[in-house]
Each structure stands twice: as C-alpha cells, then as structure tokens.
C-alpha cells in the first residue's frame, strides 16, 4: 500500500482501533497526518481514563496540538475509523482541521444525525471524505458489540 | 445569596470566567455541582494550553470525572456562563449530566444554531435551564471583545 494513500493512513487508524478493542474499549482509532507524516495517534480510552471525553479523535488532536505547539491544524488530515460524534466534530471545528477522513458510518451517534443540513459543524475550509476501508472499520465495531452481548 | 440557588452557582462560574478574562482568554467559566457542593471548576484555557479543546466545560467535566472516579454525572449540574458549543454539548451528552444551566446565549457558536429541532444533542434525561445571570455573563463577553478591537 502506498504510504500517501487514504487507505494507508486509515490502516494506521485501524491499528489504533485494534488496540482499543484489545483493551475492551469501543474500537475507534485515529491518526493525524501532516506533510505525509503521522504526527499523533489516539484510540478510545474512555474506560481506562474513566473519562467520557477520551475519544480517539480528542486524544489524537490534543497530542497533535501539544507536539506542534499550535491549537490549529489547517494543513493536517485526521483519519478516524468511525464517523465523528458531535463532541469530536466540535473539537475538529475549533481545531480548523484541513481534512477529515472517516471509515464507518455511525447512525446512532455520528454528527450527521443531529446537524441541520444547511449548518455544517465543521470549519468552512474543512474537507470531508467518508467510506475509506468502511468494511474493515464497520466489522471491528460489529464484532466488538457482538462479543458484548 | 442563598448557596442553593442557580444564581449563587452561576456567580461562581462567573468568578471562573473573570479569571479567564484576566488571563486574556475568552471569558467563559464553569462549575460542576453535586449535592449542593462544587466538585470542580474550570475556565477557558485555550491560549494557555495551546489547545482548542480546553473550554471551561471540558476542563470542569474532566476534573469532575477524575475527582469522582466516574465518567458519568447523572446527579450533577454544570453551570456555565455561556451557551455550550457543539463540542461541549457532545461532551455533556457523553457524561450524562443531570442538568445544564447557562447564562448568556451564543448566537455564533452555541449548540442551538446547528442542531435539528427534533434532535436534542443532550441525554434525554438532561434538564436545560438558560438565562441565569444572563446580563452579567453577556457583559463580560462583550467587554472582552470590545477591548480586543
């Protein structure tokens, strides 16, 4: 896989999601990419940290802010295995992220459920790409919740 | 002022907002109250922390989760001087907060701008109260942005 493709970076986000899965966390993973380099990684740690804000995207974003010393990421792309929720969408808005690439859709908690059609939650310049490695991302979630039953 | 009134706790949130103001941060403050006791406080620290997720509500929530060892706050009330943005609304949803009391409205970034009328961003059991000490909360914001011009 070419390291500059969306699939390559989504595979890296899936690796993070797998770490969450193995830790019995809802398996969502994210990476932030700047100039073809991964500058931060995160996976859901809500249970470990006992913190319902500790979603993959929030952890990857705050790690990126910290390592760059900047609170904005207009040149960066966030790859995440699941459609962002409202909280994470809001965080991505404030961070002025350049591009968001997500894998699986989230009918229950994804941003598209709540948002008025004419009111994107994101920064006007943010590009949104969906469905990258959708099957793999969806499979991991389904598998997790099936094991929980 | 009676310590069990909404005005009393909003005054405490305003004290936090004042700390933000003095630090040249957008002046928003929050407190989390459980059983008539303030269990955490937060004020906007986006500039200090170089982190665009460091809103008053997020800091107050994560501090409450940490001190209680719980990721949910169904019995608690969050007082915040400004209408929560989408990110903070999402965080309050995940935290299953019992009640949200806010002061000033936020036409630009408040949750009501983006959300479909039939799709509350909050947990079904979360109560929302607005307009407590609205004038004081609004004045602090206006004053801050006027000084910035």
């Amino acid at each position: 896989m070419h390291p500059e493709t969306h699939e390559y970076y989504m595979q890296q986000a899936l690796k993070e999601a797998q770490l969450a899965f193995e830790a019995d966390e809802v398996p969502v993973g994210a990476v932030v990419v700047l100039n073809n380099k991964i500058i931060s990684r995160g996976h859901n740690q809500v249970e470990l940290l006992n913190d319902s804000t500790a979603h993959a995207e929030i952890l990857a974003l705050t790690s990126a802010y910290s390592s760059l010393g900047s609170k904005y990421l207009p040149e960066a792309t966030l790859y995440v295995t699941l459609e962002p929720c409202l909280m994470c969408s809001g965080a991505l808005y404030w961070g002025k992220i350049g591009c968001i690439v997500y894998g699986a859709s989230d009918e229950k908690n994804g941003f598209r459920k709540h948002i008025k059609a004419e009111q994107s939650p994101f920064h006007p310049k943010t590009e949104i790409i969906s469905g990258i490695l959708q099957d793999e991302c969806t499979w991991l979630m389904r598998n997790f919740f099936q094991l929980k039953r």
Side-chain angles (χ1 to χ4, degrees), chain A residues 99-145:
Chain A
C99 181
I100 300 165
V101 183
Y102 68 87
S105 295
D106 184 350
E107 306 296 325
K108 189 164 173 233
N109 289 306
F111 68 89
R112 292 176 303 163
K113 178 181 170 191
H114 296 274
I115 296 292
K116 291 177 188 165
E118 72 281 12
Q119 287 285 6
S120 165
F122 302 110
H123 193 268
K125 289 190 177 162
T126 299
E127 185 186 3
I128 312 289
I129 297 169
S130 62
I132 303 295
L133 300 188
Q134 180 161 13
D135 290 349
E136 291 88 331
C137 294
T138 304
W139 181 85
L140 200 60
M141 288 290 283
R142 287 222 182 113
N143 195 11
F144 179 81
F145 285 109

Side-chain angles (χ1 to χ4, degrees), chain A residues 44-127:
Chain A
N44 183 22
Q45 296 192 316
V46 164
E47 304 301 330
L48 177 70
L49 301 177
N50 235 329
D51 177 355
S52 50
T53 72
H55 286 196
E57 299 95 313
I58 301 286
L59 299 176
L61 283 175
T62 53
S63 168
Y65 299 145
S66 171
S67 76
L68 290 181
S70 166
K71 58 185 182 290
Y72 302 129
L73 297 167
E75 309 296 332
T77 297
L78 177 118
Y79 291 82
V80 58
T81 56
L82 187 68
E83 180 185 341
C85 73
L86 276 192
M87 173 180 72
C88 293
S89 298
L92 289 158
Y93 163 77
W94 290 114
K96 301 182 182 177
I97 193 98
C99 181
I100 300 165
V101 183
Y102 68 87
S105 295
D106 184 350
E107 306 296 325
K108 189 164 173 233
N109 289 306
F111 68 89
R112 292 176 303 163
K113 178 181 170 191
H114 296 274
I115 296 292
K116 291 177 188 165
E118 72 281 12
Q119 287 285 6
S120 165
F122 302 110
H123 193 268
K125 289 190 177 162
T126 299
E127 185 186 3

